[in-house]
Amino acid sequence: METTLVLIKPGGVSRNLIGEITRRIEARSLKVVGLKLINADRTTVEAHYAEHAERPFFKDVCDYLTSGPIVAIAVEGTNAVKAIRAMMGATNPVEATPGTVRGDFALTIDDNLTHSSSDPEAAARELQLWFPEGTL
Ligand code: CMP
């Protein structure tokens, strides 16, 4: 059993995709064990994307994630990390398979609707960052 993190980015929230994305997660028999709609603070976002700190897109992704409300979801289930990554699709939506969230709803890498943890270690770190109070 694993727990992973999904962030629905500002574009997903403003396009009313909270329900659609959460529906897909639940339909897969994965369990929502934490969920909140928040305005992310810059410090948390910069810590979240720390591995990209030297990349040219770092400032833009941090600006974007703090540009409007986001939804943080903790998701539990067997192989949850890999299952969620596969459901969200390739980071660049033009390479995402139809049937995935990005393959169905996104077109550009800057507005790829969701973030999900890349591996169990990243999931543990990110869950601690977004759910310091713990999950259910
Ligand atoms: P995410 O999974 O949230 O992780 C880092 C984000 O940076 C990524 O999704 C994209 O939205 C964004 N990004 C912008 N340009 C790139 C790039 N060239 N490679 C990877 N991620 C990028």
Side-chain angles (χ1 to χ4, degrees), residues 9 48-49 52 55 57 61 64-65 85 91 102 108-116:
K9 299 181 181 183
H48 173 80
Y49 281 135
H52 298 304
R55 307 282 291 274
F57 57 83
V61 292
Y64 178 53
L65 216 66
R85 293 278 289 188
T91 302
R102 290 170 179 147
T108 68
I109 197 165
D110 296 325
D111 190 14
N112 62 357
L113 296 179
T114 62
H115 167 86
S116 50

Side-chain angles (χ1 to χ4, degrees), residues 38-56:
I38 50 174
N39 284 307
D41 66 80
R42 186 91 192 179
T43 309
T44 304
V45 170
E46 288 184 355
H48 173 80
Y49 281 135
E51 67 180 299
H52 298 304
E54 305 306 322
R55 307 282 291 274

Side-chain angles (χ1 to χ4, degrees), residues 17-117:
L17 290 169
I18 298 172
E20 173 64 24
I21 294 167
T22 309
R23 184 195 68 74
R24 290 179 178 218
I25 292 169
E26 292 192 300
R28 195 79 190 276
S29 295
L30 292 161
K31 192 169 169 57
V32 173
V33 293
L35 188 151
K36 53 189 169 189
L37 177 68
I38 50 174
N39 284 307
D41 66 80
R42 186 91 192 179
T43 309
T44 304
V45 170
E46 288 184 355
H48 173 80
Y49 281 135
E51 67 180 299
H52 298 304
E54 305 306 322
R55 307 282 291 274
F57 57 83
F58 179 69
K59 181 179 179 299
D60 286 347
V61 292
C62 293
D63 287 348
Y64 178 53
L65 216 66
T66 53
S67 68
I70 65 168
V71 174
I73 311 174
V75 179
E76 181 188 80
T78 305
N79 298 318
V81 174
K82 271 194 172 174
I84 284 286
R85 293 278 289 188
M87 286 171 66
M88 298 305 146
T91 302
N92 189 344
V94 291
E95 291 162 8
T97 310
T100 63
V101 167
R102 290 170 179 147
D104 289 350
F105 300 111
L107 276 176
T108 68
I109 197 165
D110 296 325
D111 190 14
N112 62 357
L113 296 179
T114 62
H115 167 86
S116 50
S117 308

